[in-house]
Amino acid sequence: MKLEAGSLYNGQRFVNQPLPYGSRPRLVMVHISGEAVRTQRREIEIGDSIRDFLIRLGIADSGGPRGGYTMFKKQMMALAACRLTLGMRTEGRAVTINTQPITRFEAWLQPQAGQHTLWPGELQLSQEFFETLVGHAVPLDPRALAGLKGSALALDVYSWLAHRLCRINGAAVKLSWSNLRAQFGQEYADYGNFKKAFRLALRQVLALYPDARVEEEPGGLVLKPSRPPLAKTQVLISP
């Protein structure tokens, strides 16, 4: 997967956005995905719904340069602007997919110190991404998200297990540490550091997802069929 930073128009010019990073954009996608599934619409009203979501997760919804809402807004804008390229190998072929989950981003213009700033109003998901959500979304427990909000790796592991475990049919699935590092830890230069970080994240996840049947064995992990974190009547959704 390749992620490229993009830009947003502020009413006067295009402003380059940073790459989305850390736990915030992951929580942004959970919020956006949950709203899309709940409303069954590609168009997502942002505005005050962000504040409600932050409150549910125990994140301060204050403004200011380092306030919870400000940081959440910055990551949402970075996510809205970024471009995603997926590469995969299947049946002897190399496949490249160019996509952008968010195809339109609307924001209110707010003059501030002689410049225009953007206040998120509405965004639109691509048709492909929306259809994937509707067909494959898995409910996530807001209590778990709140408990893991400080760790991007733990959020990734939680979302992955929520998606994967409930879809295992029959025999258990074995994954090597090499498989796990390729999926979750390519930025770790040291193999031992990745295993240490992943084990810590996994312990945090299993404490908040007690129905997850995951066992460590020499060389990797064993995943067994498990119930999802919540019944599918909830609205916090894994993309």
Side-chain angles (χ1 to χ4, degrees):
M1 182 177 70
K2 179 181 178 182
L3 201 62
E4 297 177 278
S7 61
L8 295 176
Y9 188 63
N10 73 349
Q12 295 179 325
R13 61 187 177 87
F14 284 98
V15 179
N16 292 332
Q17 301 296 319
L19 281 171
Y21 65 91
S23 62
R24 291 296 190 266
R26 290 161 170 82
L27 294 173
V28 167
M29 287 308 299
V30 169
H31 172 65
I32 291 171
S33 302
E35 287 295 291
V37 173
R38 183 181 67 83
T39 63
Q40 294 293 293
R41 296 177 66 242
R42 291 167 57 201
E43 295 76 24
I44 309 299
E45 296 285 346
I46 306 169
D48 292 337
S49 67
I50 298 179
R51 295 188 185 278
D52 294 337
F53 184 68
L54 293 177
I55 291 171
R56 292 183 71 186
L57 296 184
I59 299 174
D61 64 339
S62 57
R66 302 188 64 82
Y69 186 88
T70 301
M71 299 301 292
F72 207 74
K73 183 183 74 170
K74 287 181 178 179
Q75 290 299 324
M76 176 172 289
M77 292 168 65
L79 190 64
C82 75
R83 297 179 296 275
L84 183 65
T85 303
L86 301 174
M88 63 189 72
R89 187 172 60 189
T90 176
E91 298 179 355
R93 295 175 296 167
V95 180
T96 301
I97 300 174
N98 295 304
T99 184
Q100 194 163 6
I102 298 172
T103 59
R104 193 184 82 238
F105 181 79
E106 295 185 9
W108 294 101
L109 293 176
Q110 291 190 323
Q112 183 176 337
Q115 296 182 340
H116 283 104
T117 61
L118 299 179
W119 188 264
E122 182 181 282
L123 57 81
Q124 184 181 69
L125 302 177
S126 69
Q127 185 66 38
E128 272 187 342
F129 186 69
F130 176 73
E131 290 175 355
T132 299
L133 283 178
V134 172
H136 304 287
V138 174
L140 302 180
D141 190 337
R143 295 166 298 182
L145 295 174
L148 303 173
K149 64 180 182 287
S151 169
L153 179 57
L155 286 171
D156 285 346
V157 173
Y158 175 69
S159 298
W160 168 63
L161 290 178
H163 236 294
R164 186 76 183 271
L165 295 178
C166 64
R167 293 190 168 99
I168 297 175
N169 294 317
V173 175
K174 296 183 179 181
L175 295 173
S176 68
W177 284 112
S178 178
N179 295 145
L180 294 166
R181 186 184 181 191
Q183 183 170 354
F184 294 101
Q186 294 185 15
E187 71 274 20
Y188 287 87
D190 184 81
Y191 189 77
N193 286 341
F194 165 71
K195 291 176 67 174
K196 181 179 179 180
F198 189 91
R199 282 174 170 145
L200 174 60
L202 182 61
R203 285 198 297 271
Q204 294 173 328
V205 169
L206 295 181
L208 294 166
Y209 182 7
D211 287 332
R213 301 171 63 206
V214 180
E215 298 175 3
E216 184 174 346
E217 67 171 20
L221 298 180
V222 176
L223 310 183
K224 298 181 179 180
S226 308
R227 292 185 296 182
L230 291 177
K232 292 190 177 183
T233 55
Q234 303 296 320
V235 296
L236 293 182
I237 307 294
S238 168

